[in-house]
């Protein structure tokens, strides 16, 4: 059975294009390992639970493994490019699903804005010593153009590009971690004490988790490419567990290693004395001076891989909602050769590029405002929708005949624990919102309200469809089934 647009024209993406490795690349690339480790964890070391950062990554990994149990169990019953939206529609109903779709679109477009701004800043800084002095936003727009062109190609092409980027940025951090290990650590040697509960569960754990959980953003990519995956019933669950496991182990190892380099008792003070040089100092010492410019270049590569991954994800959301009739049906058109959602990709890039230019012309600081503020919206929005997905899993399996349900752990206990954990994470982000955004601006304080208003607006729109376009409403969450 093929999905159809509101106009009745069949529009499907490129089948059997993505294998397990491609999908894992999309997820891990969206997590931007080098950016997350070098850019975010120094703040967690400095103002969070210090040496317990590595243990916080293990906690987050356990939370997302719990999420994955129900998520992957339901993935065997749901297939389509709508991912979280489709899950929530089939579990909690169409109004909640459309509301969640609006939240996730807001969140993912926000992260695109923030990362593109950061990309422009890093490229401008790298080219300035060469005598090239252009505004940061020029490089951001150039990045949008390149990402759009790549996203227009067959999805497997983007997967290969992401694979190359990912290998490069992971390799430099692995070299640093292994180098610290071979040297025997730093002034306090090597130990696993940073994983001890007394080290992890300290007063700064909540602040640390705000940054740690943000490192897992992009998790949805495993399911959103189901329509293009080879053997999706097997590939999606395997890719989900592989991605969560790789992200958790890699981040935990990298942060454990840097804590050993400075010494667990001194790592917080070292981070506080120089956030930007925290990893670069260690890299120059362990690997040599060559590693500092190399790591700087790979940071740009990491940011580029991140925006490419999110571009493909958001494009498929636009495509799915266009195919269902929630958004303009033109968004559901696929490229005749590459079978990619090229119209949705152009729309997504046009939206982000226009907003970014308005922000730049308004003189907003690309790092202190655009990146920081958009990060808050992203983390809040994604955590909220993930909690709704876990609720949807519980409700979905309640409606199935007993013989079609998985075991009680996958159908109830794991997703219920996930709801509690994700709900707690939302509370942590809200309580640490000034710390995460770096400002006490009253605008930032309204972001939780913004998330709620967007979600409620989407639900009200779905109810309007029920009254005014009942045929279209009846198809929501169904037109994506293959």
């Amino acid at each position: 059975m093929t999905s159809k647009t509101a106009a009745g024209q069949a529009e499907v993406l490129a089948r059997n294009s993505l294998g397990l490795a491609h999908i894992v690349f999309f997820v891990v690339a969206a997590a931007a390992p080098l950016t997350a480790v070098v850019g975010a964890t120094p703040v967690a070391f400095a103002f969070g639970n210090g040496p317990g950062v590595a243990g916080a990554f293990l906690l987050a990994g356990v939370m997302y493994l719990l999420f994955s149990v129900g998520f992957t169990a339901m993935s065997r019953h749901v297939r389509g490019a709508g991912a979280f939206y489709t899950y929530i529609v089939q579990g909690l109903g169409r109004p909640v699903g459309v509301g969640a779709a609006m939240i996730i679109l807001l969140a993912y477009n926000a992260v695109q804005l923030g990362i593109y701004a950061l990309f422009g800043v890093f490229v401008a800084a790298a080219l300035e010593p060469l005598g090239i002095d252009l505004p940061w936003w020029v490089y951001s727009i150039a990045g949008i153009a390149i990402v759009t062109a790549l996203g227009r190609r067959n999805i497997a092409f983007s997967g290969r590009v992401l694979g190359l980027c990912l290998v490069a940025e992971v390799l430099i951090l692995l070299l640093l971690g292994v180098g610290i290990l071979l040297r025997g650590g730093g002034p306090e040697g090597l130990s696993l004490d940073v994983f001890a509960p007394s080290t992890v569960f300290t007063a700064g754990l909540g602040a640390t988790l705000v940054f740690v959980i943000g490192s897992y953003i992009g998790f949805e990519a495993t399911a959103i490419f189901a329509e293009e995956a080879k053997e999706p019933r097997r590939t999606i669950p395997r890719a989900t567990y592989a991605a969560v496991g790789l992200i958790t182990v890699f981040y935990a190892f990298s942060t454990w290693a840097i804590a050993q380099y400075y010494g667990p008792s001194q790592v917080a003070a070292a981070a506080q004395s120089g956030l930007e040089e925290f990893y670069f100092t260690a890299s120059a010492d362990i690997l040599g001076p060559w590693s500092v410019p190399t790591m700087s270049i790979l940071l740009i590569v990491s940011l580029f891989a991140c925006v490419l991954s999110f571009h493909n994800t958001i494009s498929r959301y636009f495509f799915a909602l266009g195919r269902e009739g929630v958004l303009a049906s033109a968004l559901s058109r696929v490229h005749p050769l590459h079978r990619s959602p090229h119209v949705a990709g152009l729309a997504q890039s046009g939206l982000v590029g226009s907003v970014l230019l308005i922000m730049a012309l308004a003189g907003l600081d690309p790092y202190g405002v655009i990146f920081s503020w958009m990060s808050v919206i992203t983390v809040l929005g994604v955590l909220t929708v993930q909690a709704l997905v876990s609720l949807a899993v519980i409700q979905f399996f309640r409606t199935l005949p007993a013989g079609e349900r998985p075991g009680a752990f996958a159908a109830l206990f794991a997703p219920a624990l996930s709801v509690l954990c994700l709900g707690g994470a939302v509370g942590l982000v809200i309580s640490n919102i000034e710390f995460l955004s770096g400002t006490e601006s009253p605008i930032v304080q309204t972001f939780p309200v913004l998330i709620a208003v967007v979600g409620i607006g989407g639900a009200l729109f779905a109810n309007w469809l029920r009254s005014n376009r009942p045929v279209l409403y009846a198809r929501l969450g169904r037109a994506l089934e293959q």
Side-chain angles (χ1 to χ4, degrees):
M1 177 180 177
T2 58
S3 297
K4 297 186 178 182
T5 66
Q9 180 184 4
E11 292 287 3
V12 295
L13 300 173
R15 303 289 182 84
N16 300 314
S17 296
L18 297 176
L20 175 65
H22 285 128
I23 297 174
V24 172
F25 284 152
F26 273 107
V27 176
V28 181
L34 191 61
T35 303
V37 172
V38 176
T41 64
V43 183
F45 277 113
F47 306 109
N49 63 344
V53 171
F57 273 110
L58 293 184
L59 286 178
V62 170
M63 180 180 76
Y64 277 115
L65 285 174
L66 284 171
F67 176 89
S68 300
V69 172
F71 181 64
T72 57
M74 189 169 170
S75 72
R76 296 179 174 90
H77 300 268
V78 177
R79 185 184 176 189
F84 285 171
Y85 159 69
T86 314
Y87 283 61
I88 294 171
V89 165
Q90 298 202 18
L92 299 179
R94 296 172 179 87
V96 180
V98 175
M102 297 302 106
I103 293 174
I104 206 70
L105 281 176
L106 172 67
Y108 281 167
N109 279 285
V111 76
Q112 282 279 78
L113 282 169
I115 299 299
Y116 273 127
L118 210 57
F119 175 82
V121 169
F122 275 94
V123 174
L127 294 180
E128 188 175 3
L130 303 178
I132 303 174
D133 187 15
L134 294 172
W136 63 267
W137 55 265
V138 173
Y139 304 109
S140 298
I141 297 300
I144 292 174
I146 296 170
V147 164
T148 305
L150 290 175
R152 185 172 178 269
R153 298 287 302 275
N154 181 279
I155 188 64
F157 182 79
S158 290
R160 288 190 288 272
V161 172
L162 288 172
L164 292 173
C165 295
L166 185 62
V167 167
E169 60 179 297
V170 166
L171 183 59
I172 191 74
L173 285 174
L174 281 179
L175 287 174
L176 175 59
V178 171
I180 293 170
L181 188 63
L182 292 177
R183 182 182 282 193
E188 299 173 33
L190 295 172
S191 76
L192 297 176
D193 291 346
V194 297
F195 296 107
S198 59
T199 303
V200 177
F201 293 94
T202 60
L205 177 60
T208 294
L209 283 174
V210 169
F211 288 93
V212 166
I213 291 169
S215 300
Y216 287 80
I217 299 300
F219 187 83
E220 184 182 6
T222 57
I224 205 164
F225 298 112
E227 187 172 321
E228 298 154 282
K230 300 173 182 176
E231 300 182 72
R233 291 182 182 274
R234 297 174 57 191
T235 302
I236 300 307
R238 291 179 179 179
T240 302
Y241 286 117
V244 172
L246 283 172
I247 291 172
T248 300
V249 171
F250 180 73
Y251 286 167
F253 172 74
S254 297
T255 50
W256 169 81
I258 201 71
Q260 304 310 299
Y261 174 80
Y262 287 105
S265 67
Q266 303 174 46
V267 68
Q272 290 168 9
S273 65
L275 293 173
E276 295 181 358
E277 295 81 23
F278 185 66
Y279 279 91
F280 290 103
T281 298
S283 183
D285 181 31
I286 297 294
L287 302 177
W290 66 269
S291 66
V292 175
T294 301
M295 189 174 284
S296 297
I297 293 171
L298 289 177
L299 268 173
I300 297 173
V301 172
S302 175
L303 291 167
F304 179 80
C306 181
V307 290
L308 176 58
S309 180
F310 275 112
H311 173 79
N312 281 287
T313 298
I314 301 167
S315 296
R316 279 150 183 81
Y317 251 109
F318 280 178
F319 167 82
L321 293 171
R323 189 164 62 179
E324 293 228 313
V326 175
L327 298 180
S329 61
L331 296 173
S332 66
R333 295 174 186 166
V334 299
H335 193 279
L337 175 62
H338 302 299
R339 307 308 299 170
S340 62
H342 66 298
V343 175
L346 285 172
Q348 194 270 320
S349 293
L351 173 64
V352 170
S354 299
V355 175
L356 193 64
L357 275 177
I358 292 171
M359 289 178 164
L361 294 175
L364 298 183
D365 182 80
Y367 187 85
V369 176
I370 300 177
F371 174 73
S372 299
W373 290 21
M374 293 304 102
S375 296
V376 176
I377 292 174
T378 300
V379 175
L380 271 176
V382 172
L383 285 173
T384 299
V385 173
Q386 287 173 343
L388 289 173
V389 169
S390 290
L391 286 172
V393 170
I394 296 172
Q395 183 60 28
F396 176 78
F397 285 125
R398 285 184 60 194
T399 64
L400 289 184
E404 298 180 22
R405 298 176 198 164
F409 183 71
L412 177 60
F413 295 118
L417 288 172
S418 177
V419 171
L420 292 175
C421 292
L422 290 164
V426 171
L428 282 174
V429 172
I430 293 174
S431 63
N432 288 277
I433 199 166
E434 294 179 358
F435 175 60
L436 180 59
S437 64
T439 179
E440 297 180 359
S441 170
I443 297 175
V444 175
Q445 301 293 336
T446 67
F447 286 169
V449 178
L450 172 65
I451 298 295
V453 168
V454 168
I456 292 170
L460 291 175
F461 175 64
N463 282 322
W464 179 87
L465 289 176
R466 176 163 50 191
S467 300
N468 296 275
R469 302 184 66 183
V471 175
L472 189 153
Y473 177 82
R475 280 205 311 270
L476 295 182
R478 305 294 178 184
L480 299 178
E481 295 179 3
Q482 306 301 313

